[in-house]
Amino acid sequence: MTKPKVMILAAGRGERMRPLSDSVPKPLLEAGGKPLIVHLIERLGRAGFHDLVINHSHLGEQIERYLGDGGRHGARIRYSHEAGGGLETGGGIFKALPLIDTDPFVVINGDIWTDFPFGRLPTHLTGLAHLVLVDNPPQHPRGDFALRDGRVHAEGEPRLTFSGIGVYARALFADCRPGKFPLAPLLRAAMARAQVSGERYAGDWRDVGTPQRLEELDRELRRPPARS
C-alpha cells in the first residue's frame, strides 16, 4: 500500500522563538543534539513515510542547504518556497499541492516534538480530514476542538488541542484560490458537515514554540536513560 505523501510546515517566522529564530529558522533549532525537523523526519521514516514536501519562507535557504534532497536522512524531499513572509497554513498547503501526488496526504507542523506513532494515521478518509488531538498544554488551556464518537466538532466540551498532525483530502481545498489564507476556517466548515474525523493521543507531544520550551525539551532528551 502506498503511503500518503507528507508535508512538513516550516514557513513560519517563529516570532515567539526570537531571538533564536532571527538567525536560524525554527525547524532547524536543535534539541537533544539534532534539529526539530530531523526528529520528525526520522520518526516518519521509521513509520514508512519517506516522500516529503517541506514549505519554507523565513531563512528557508538554510533548510534546503541542511536537508538537501533528504537522502542523508532516508527521505526524498521536495521544497515549496513561499516569498514575502509566507502564505499561512492554508495558503501554504494549497501552493504545495502540485508537489503532492497522493490523496489523502499528511501535514505536520515542523515545530513540534512527539513520539506519536505515525504509522497508525489513516491512509483513507471517510470525510475531508482526520486530526490528531492532544490534551491541552499549559500555554493553551482552552483547547481548539471537541472530539465525540470519532468526529471532531468546532464547539462542545471537553476541549482538546489540535496537535498540528492531520490527514487531508485534496477536496478540502477544492474551492481555494492562490494566496495567503488560514486552514482553520476550512476545517470548521468541514466539521459543520461532519466531514472531520479525529483521535486523541495521550503520549508525549510538545509545541516547541518558545526558547524556554526548547530548552526544557533539550534538557530532557539529553538526560541519561534511567537504569532498570
Side-chain angles (χ1 to χ4, degrees), residues 91-223:
I93 295 172
F94 185 75
K95 182 180 187 296
L97 282 180
L99 302 176
I100 299 171
D101 55 6
T102 63
D103 192 7
F105 58 94
V106 178
V107 178
I108 303 172
N109 289 358
D111 58 355
I112 63 171
W113 188 93
T114 184
D115 60 4
F116 178 78
F118 291 111
R120 82 182 197 191
L121 288 172
T123 55
H124 299 282
L125 295 178
T126 57
L128 294 174
H130 178 87
L131 306 183
V132 177
L133 306 178
V134 296
D135 293 339
N136 301 329
Q139 71 271 14
H140 192 58
R142 295 185 179 182
D144 298 305
F145 306 119
L147 179 66
R148 296 192 299 273
D149 300 322
R151 290 284 158 183
V152 182
H153 302 268
E155 305 298 335
E157 300 291 338
R159 309 288 285 177
L160 295 169
T161 290
F162 176 41
S163 68
I165 303 169
V167 184
Y168 304 116
R170 299 178 73 88
L172 181 66
F173 301 88
D175 296 324
C176 296
R177 297 292 180 268
K180 184 176 183 177
F181 61 89
L183 177 64
L186 300 181
L187 291 175
R188 291 179 184 277
M191 289 173 196
R193 304 192 303 273
Q195 291 289 297
V196 181
S197 61
E199 63 182 281
R200 172 180 172 266
Y201 181 60
D204 201 346
W205 173 89
R206 322 285 183 93
D207 168 15
V208 193
T210 65
Q212 179 185 3
R213 296 206 289 271
L214 181 68
E215 182 180 348
E216 290 170 357
L217 176 61
D218 180 65
R219 192 162 53 243
E220 290 185 32
L221 293 179
R222 292 181 183 275
R223 186 177 299 149

Side-chain angles (χ1 to χ4, degrees), residues 26-43:
K26 186 162 58 168
L28 287 187
L29 293 173
E30 293 193 357
K34 69 179 68 170
L36 294 171
I37 199 168
V38 172
H39 284 289
L40 279 178
I41 291 170
E42 290 179 349
R43 184 166 289 276

